[in-house]
């Protein structure tokens, strides 16, 4: 997809100038929060007396909040630009983190997790949508990889910090740190955003939002959506129950946070290569990553002890992020440029459909049969994603040529 002599790395330098850098900073803050909450929230709910099913529901609530609001944020982004969604996210998140610190109850924790998810859904159309819209086709994989670097670096830092902060200051300290860091980043980044809508489509005004939404629901979009939902279901099931797997082995919170930190830090090493490979072949990059993803999760069904769990979880993170640039770039390929915010909103819906159902099922499996059934279920979801990619994506892939889809 990238012809000799083209300069995708130059496209990234332009992308990350001024407004792009501010969006990258807010994206980092978003995933610093997720990086802290993913290992901490299951332990926090367990500390408050929640069952395995309720702990799985904690991640399902994340999926519900993002899924309900992701497309709406996409519409706002396409019509009003990135500044309003990102500013609302920053202010609302600071208040929600403070609420988690002040209200130590299961119901409050779940409700505020929903609020954080609904606000955080803005980062996909306003953040990643901006990244894929601002570069030409030759660089979309690298642009998605650059955004994923913000995700992985934020989650890695959050994973490492979460265990240390819990051990030294308790759960409340995690939430106050997140409130303070998000507020500081917002103060630095929001003034650099333009409070203006993106350029309108060349065909003229008068767009019907309902017609635009229907226009991007195509077989290629539905295929990518199914893959994303299955990947997310497996991912959410693993993230919900790896902390409990390690806690059952008597490992301290610091080591649990280290597993998440190492996994996402390792992903930083492969993301640029994943973006490069995605720009030279979306389908084969995705299929290779999904095969490794299913195997890594299956290994968690039998892994016991710190080092086996660390290795299997790290491989899971590596393979999950290795396929992300190809999945997102392929989705962007088949949607017109002026609807990229909506496309990323659809990605959020697909991802969160996986998060809503799968972790809750995994929680019931955990309560009844323990780790082998829980992680075996997650591995089956990953294998199903591999099957859809192999069977439904044509070898020539898809392109959107002036609004008409074709295999390239």
């Amino acid at each position: 997809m990238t012809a000799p002599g083209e300069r995708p790395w130059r496209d990234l330098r332009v992308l990350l100038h001024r407004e792009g850098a501010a969006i990258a900073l807010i994206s980092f803050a978003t995933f610093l929060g997720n990086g802290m909450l993913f290992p901490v929230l299951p332990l926090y709910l367990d500390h408050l007396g929640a069952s395995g099913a309720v702990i799985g529901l904690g991640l399902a609530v994340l999926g519900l909040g993002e899924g309900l609001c992701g497309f709406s944020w996409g519409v706002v982004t396409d019509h009003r630009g990135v500044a309003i969604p990102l500013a609302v996210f920053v202010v609302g998140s600071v208040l929600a983190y403070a609420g988690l610190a002040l209200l130590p109850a299961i119901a409050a924790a779940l409700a505020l997790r929903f609020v954080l998810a609904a606000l955080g859904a803005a980062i996909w159309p306003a953040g990643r949508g901006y990244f894929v819209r601002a570069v030409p086709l030759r660089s979309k994989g690298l642009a998605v990889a650059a955004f994923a670097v913000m995700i992985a670096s934020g989650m890695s830092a959050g994973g490492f910090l979460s265990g240390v902060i819990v051990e030294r200051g308790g759960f409340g300290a995690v939430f106050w740190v997140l409130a303070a860091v998000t507020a500081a980043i917002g103060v630095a980044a929001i003034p650099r955003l333009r409070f203006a809508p993106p350029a309108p489509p060349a065909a003229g005004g008068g767009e019907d939002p309902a017609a635009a939404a229907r226009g991007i629901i195509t077989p290629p979009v539905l295929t990518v959506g199914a893959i994303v939902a299955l990947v997310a279901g497996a991912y959410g099931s693993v993230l919900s129950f790896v902390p409990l797997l390690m806690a059952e082995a008597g490992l301290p919170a610091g080591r649990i946070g280290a597993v998440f930190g190492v996994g996402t830090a390792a992903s930083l090493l492969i993301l640029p290569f994943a973006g490069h490979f995605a720009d030279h072949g979306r389908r084969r990059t995705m299929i290779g990553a999904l095969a490794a993803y299913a195997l890594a999760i299956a290994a968690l069904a039998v892994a016991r002890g710190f080092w086996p769990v660390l290795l299997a979880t790290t491989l899971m993170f590596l393979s999950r992020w290795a396929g992300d640039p190809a999945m997102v770039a392929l989705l962007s390929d088949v949607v017109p440029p002026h609807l990229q915010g909506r496309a990323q909103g659809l990605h959020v819906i697909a991802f969160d459909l996986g998060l809503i159902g799968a972790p809750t099922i995994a929680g019931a499996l955990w309560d009844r049969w323990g780790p082998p059934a829980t992680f075996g279920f997650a591995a089956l979801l990953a294998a199903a994603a591999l099957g859809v990619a192999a069977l439904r994506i044509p070898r020539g892939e898809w392109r959107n040529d002036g609004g008409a889809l074709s295999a390239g």
Side-chain angles (χ1 to χ4, degrees):
M1 292 187 178
T2 302
E6 292 181 332
R7 303 293 297 275
W9 292 105
R10 180 180 294 174
D11 296 334
L12 286 189
R13 287 199 297 271
V14 174
L15 170 67
L16 292 172
H17 184 61
R18 298 175 68 94
E19 189 173 33
I23 292 171
L25 193 59
I26 294 173
S27 301
F28 175 83
T30 305
F31 296 103
L32 179 74
N34 282 338
M36 286 194 179
L37 290 182
F38 277 139
V40 164
L41 195 61
L43 299 176
Y44 182 55
L45 290 170
D46 184 60
H47 170 73
L48 294 175
S51 67
V54 172
I55 291 169
L57 182 62
L59 204 56
V61 164
L62 165 65
L64 182 63
E66 286 193 344
L68 289 176
C69 298
F71 191 80
S72 298
W73 284 124
V75 173
V76 173
T77 300
D78 285 339
H79 284 281
R80 300 296 180 187
V82 302
I84 291 174
L86 295 181
V88 171
F89 157 72
V90 168
V91 174
S93 294
V94 170
L95 296 176
Y97 288 136
L100 281 172
L102 295 171
L103 300 170
I106 293 174
L110 293 176
L112 289 167
R113 189 62 174 123
F114 175 85
V115 171
L116 284 166
L119 296 169
I123 202 65
W124 302 109
R128 192 164 61 187
Y130 177 94
F131 271 51
V132 297
R133 177 167 26 202
V135 298
L137 177 66
R138 69 189 181 214
S139 306
K140 281 188 180 180
L142 281 174
V144 175
F147 188 82
V149 166
M150 299 300 105
I151 298 174
S153 58
M155 291 192 68
S156 177
F160 282 119
L161 289 172
S162 64
V164 174
I165 295 171
V166 166
E167 287 182 345
R168 297 194 176 188
F171 293 110
V174 172
F175 307 137
W176 284 121
V177 167
L178 282 174
V181 171
T182 304
I185 287 178
V187 168
I190 289 174
R192 298 172 65 89
L193 302 176
R194 290 176 294 177
F195 284 80
E207 179 190 42
D208 178 0
R214 290 193 299 270
I216 60 175
I217 305 299
T218 62
V221 168
L222 293 174
T223 295
V224 177
I227 295 168
V228 169
L230 290 165
V231 167
Y235 191 58
S237 299
V238 171
L239 293 185
S240 294
F241 294 100
V242 162
L244 297 191
L245 177 67
M246 300 184 70
E248 281 193 351
L251 296 169
R255 285 206 168 190
I256 296 171
V259 165
F260 282 75
V262 168
T264 48
S267 302
L268 290 168
L269 301 177
I270 64 159
L271 279 168
F273 300 101
H276 175 77
F277 289 137
D279 285 332
H280 288 77
R282 316 279 200 235
R283 181 180 185 273
R284 63 173 176 263
T285 302
M286 196 185 309
I287 287 175
L290 289 172
Y293 187 56
L295 291 173
I297 295 174
L300 280 169
V302 295
R304 298 294 181 270
F306 176 70
W307 291 108
V309 172
L310 175 64
L311 178 59
T313 305
T314 299
L315 291 174
M316 185 277 295
F317 276 114
L318 283 170
S319 52
R320 183 256 184 275
W321 289 112
D324 203 56
M327 277 186 278
V328 177
L330 184 59
L331 176 62
S332 178
D333 289 348
V334 299
V335 174
H338 67 287
L339 298 178
Q340 291 297 316
R342 290 171 174 82
Q344 295 305 313
L346 289 177
H347 184 282
V348 171
I349 292 171
F351 193 89
D352 293 311
L353 282 174
L355 289 187
I356 289 168
T360 304
I361 295 171
L365 293 172
W366 178 276
D367 286 338
R368 188 171 181 87
W369 290 296
T374 303
F375 297 115
F377 166 70
L380 285 176
L381 293 177
L386 173 62
V388 173
L391 295 173
R392 295 293 301 163
I393 298 175
R395 293 186 182 276
E397 300 173 8
W398 295 295
R399 297 287 184 87
N400 188 307
D401 301 315
L405 287 173
S406 62

